[in-house]
Amino acid sequence: MKLTSRGRYAVMALVDLARFDNVNPVSLRDISLRQGISLDYLEQIFSKLKKDQIVKSTRGTQGGYVLSKKPNEIKLTNIFQAVDEKVKTVQCKKDSKKGCNGKATKCITHNLWDELESHINSFFEKKSLEDLLKSNKENRL
Amino acid sequence: MKLTSRGRYAVMALVDLARFDNVNPVSLRDISLRQGISLDYLEQIFSKLKKDQIVKSTRGTQGGYVLSKKPNEIKLTNIFQAVDEKVKTVQCKKDSKKGCNGKATKCITHNLWDELESHINSFFEKKSLEDLLKSNKENRL
DNA sequence: TACATACCTGACTAAAATGGTCAAGTATAG
DNA sequence: CTATACTTGACCATTTTAGTCAGGTATGTA
């Protein structure tokens, strides 16, 4: 089980964005330079973030991205969901041949993964962008 | 972020094993048939479990595997560790070019992943094979 | 002793996911 | 009208996953 770097980049970029969008929109180019993430890759990620209305965009010179909500309203769940970084443990739906179809007869460990999933998600649901900003006040890059 | 099926199979197989090893060793062939997991794949998995002393093996006719500890002494952490199913969130060690080398200058989200990791691991450390056996008493396959 | 059973080992592979790059746009501020 | 910056979609190399396959080796039983 591992986290992909897409999810990590998304969070890094948004924290960066939250720090700098006070006045003007922030360009991906700036984020790319500051965080060391490929510009092209950032564009992919932000198109997803936009589709889920986590950020808004302005085109043209001086354009860029802005958060569409307040930092404390953006939870990690939202971010991960947007970039397809979902916590998926079991996919028993397909294995219907061997008893686990998610309905009547569950495989022996089915409940376990359900529990795990909600355990992880509860972590993501509590943490907001604001929390990350705060914990970075001291430990500033 | 997802769990691989190797980890899932390992847990399924061990629960199965725990249920049937009261008298004789359990052959992988039986587990394979009951759980619908390829025998060859099971062998790979059990060689790892054996290396970490979670199971013991007996060769020859009537041979098979037995747990080397009591079900309540086998935590999920142990199982996952054995089959290389480790929770790894960030690998910042290599990205040393951009500030995060895990030491002095951490990347903005470094602490976050550390927190996440221990949150997940605490779940795995609490759950033992015995817990799974119990919760399967009612919900028996 | 032979043979079937079951563990043991390592090489190999198809398919999917990951982590990007590249190319060709479109919109807009100045 | 031009530079900037978002937008879209195709493409690709590498790695990981989830196995398969082909050989073993050990051992209880007949």
Side-chain angles (χ1 to χ4, degrees), chain A residues 2-135:
Chain A
K2 66 164 202 272
L3 219 78
T4 69
S5 77
R6 199 167 62 241
R8 182 160 66 95
Y9 286 166
V11 176
M12 286 170 68
L14 285 175
V15 171
D16 186 287
L17 184 57
R19 279 228 297 258
F20 289 96
D21 82 342
N22 307 312
V23 191
N24 299 317
V26 180
S27 76
L28 292 190
R29 195 169 149 279
D30 287 354
I31 298 181
S32 162
L33 290 174
R34 276 195 296 260
Q35 301 299 329
I37 305 170
S38 139
L39 176 60
D40 286 313
Y41 202 25
L42 270 182
E43 285 174 346
Q44 273 185 47
I45 293 172
F46 271 75
S47 94
K48 288 167 190 275
L49 292 176
K50 192 190 173 188
K51 201 168 57 191
D52 273 30
Q53 297 178 312
I54 291 171
V55 295
K56 285 181 297 192
S57 66
T58 320
R59 289 183 153 196
T61 324
Q62 304 299 325
Y65 286 92
V66 183
L67 296 179
S68 8
K69 302 171 196 170
K70 289 175 198 161
N72 69 336
E73 291 170 335
I74 301 177
K75 307 293 184 186
L76 288 194
T77 324
N78 309 329
I79 301 175
F80 285 143
Q81 201 165 303
V83 299
D84 297 318
E85 186 84 279
K86 51 199 159 202
V87 179
K88 60 176 173 184
T89 48
V90 196
Q91 325 66 331
C92 298
K93 284 88 194 175
K94 299 171 192 168
D95 308 348
S96 49
K97 45 180 174 175
K98 261 301 164 181
C100 188
N101 48 22
K103 284 192 254 172
T105 49
K106 296 184 181 174
C107 66
I108 0 181
T109 55
H110 198 111
N111 294 330
L112 173 66
W113 311 122
D114 278 354
E115 266 186 79
L116 173 60
E117 245 180 68
S118 43
H119 186 254
I120 296 176
N121 282 325
S122 83
F123 180 83
F124 289 149
E125 273 156 27
K126 275 177 207 151
K127 283 275 178 203
S128 73
L129 256 195
E130 192 176 39
D131 296 332
L132 296 184
L133 284 171
K134 276 182 192 163
S135 75

Side-chain angles (χ1 to χ4, degrees), chain B residues 57-72:
Chain B
S57 66
T58 320
R59 288 183 154 197
T61 322
Q62 306 298 326
Y65 286 93
V66 183
L67 295 179
S68 6
K69 303 170 195 172
K70 290 173 195 162
N72 68 338

Side-chain angles (χ1 to χ4, degrees), chain B residues 9 20 28 47 50 55 63-64 86 91 103 112-113 121:
Chain B
Y9 286 166
F20 290 94
L28 292 191
S47 94
K50 191 190 173 189
V55 295
K86 51 199 157 201
Q91 322 67 332
K103 283 190 256 172
L112 174 66
W113 311 122
N121 281 326

